[in-house]
Amino acid sequence: MATAFADQFFRPVPAGLRRPPAALKPAGTFLLLRRPPAGPVTRSAGPRRGCAAKSESVEKVGADLKDLVEFLYADLPHLFDEQGIDRTMYDDRVRFRDPITRHDTIDGYLFNIRLLKLLFRPDFYLHHVRQTGPNEITTRWTMVMRFTLLPWQPELLFTGTSVMGVNPLTKKFCSHVDLWDSIQNNDYFSLEGLIDVLKQLRIYKTPDLETPKYLILKRTANYEIRKYEPFVVVETEGDKLSGSSGFNNVAGYIFGKNSSSEKIPMTTPVFTQAVDDKLSKVSIQIVLPMDKDLGTLPSPSAEAVNLRKVEGGIAAVTKFSGKPSEEIVLNKERALRSAILKDGLSPQQGCLLARYNDPGSTNSFVMLLCLLTVPDACFVLLSCHYNIGSKRNEVLIWLNDFTLE
């Protein structure tokens, strides 16, 4: 029973046949991020948007499979639209496997795709397609699905690779095996894989506010690798990573304490950032709306408040909930840094704490008390707003020279 339920509802779409996400586009859309540089095993420098019909890099792929590489780039965008994938490029007896799902015919697999289309809003990001053997093509992808049957609609995220076998006689795909980055045992049926799915169903609410745009490139058992787009923050000096000193000043800026008295929409998260290896020099920041830039924003009225553009980049991120005390934050930073060093990545000095719900350790009772005693109403209102829902916290460490394999 549990296995049958998992097979029908807790299943990411095997990547070689999937299609789009809604994180950066409307639900059910497809985003092709990158073509590979060249050759069967050449490393990718990272994803990019756009989908060219042909590229010189494909010419270096093995002559027998270069057409199939091109086929996957062209066919995947149609997985969830009216056209659908081209089933004629798959053997009738094709072997599909992921850690919690299996099918042995193209008809069974296509039925599963239709079920996913009905119950989920799946988003698929394709990073690259490469020939990895004489009769083998491997895709790397990110897959996001929103489980709409649950009231809180949790987001299920999977990253990994799909190894697609090619029948040398028919020149069609005869096997398709998904490998998730987040687990060790990828063989069907993987209890570890099912637990990984169930863990993502917890209630983990983020305020419905604009956030910095990012794409999750890889999700491991311990952290995520994200690619952030540039964004602008208003910041001032803070006291410690878990502290809220200075928040009143940066909150005042978006409530009109600026050169044009402009009220700026609230966003999430609130960042505190330490830039030194001892995590002692701290600033507190509020992210400004993505349609704002340094040339159009009014100047802060307070001398201690500054505007700064963050250039974005690649960050390792670990999530946690509850009250982010200083001890907890420092422990999370040490554990994250240790994990990324163990995986051969190159972390920068310092870290950021992102608080998506409230910038301090407040609750509704304290908020009411503040409303009666604190004269600065803008601080009270903003803090109350950030307190809605479960507390989501993250520690981020920027990375150097990351390459998505």
Side-chain angles (χ1 to χ4, degrees), residues 234-237 249 253 257-258 299-307:
V234 54
E235 66 178 349
T236 193
E237 185 176 347
N249 291 330
Y253 173 83
K257 292 184 178 180
N258 52 63
S299 301
S301 299
E303 291 185 3
V305 176
N306 300 295
L307 299 175

Side-chain angles (χ1 to χ4, degrees), residues 19 27 112 149 151 169 197 235 262-263 296 301 325 328 338 347 373:
R19 141 180 196 239
N112 179 62
L149 294 184
L169 299 179
V197 172
E235 66 178 349
E262 177 183 353
K263 300 219 173 17
T296 59
S301 299
S325 68
I328 290 175
S338 175
T373 59

Side-chain angles (χ1 to χ4, degrees), residues 214-245:
Y214 64 81
L215 174 65
I216 298 175
L217 303 179
K218 189 173 184 179
R219 173 180 163 262
T220 73
N222 301 311
Y223 60 89
E224 298 173 356
I225 301 291
R226 299 178 184 172
K227 183 177 183 180
Y228 277 87
E229 295 184 12
F231 56 93
V232 177
V233 298
V234 54
E235 66 178 349
T236 193
E237 185 176 347
D239 54 354
K240 56 183 180 178
L241 282 169
S242 63
S244 58
S245 175

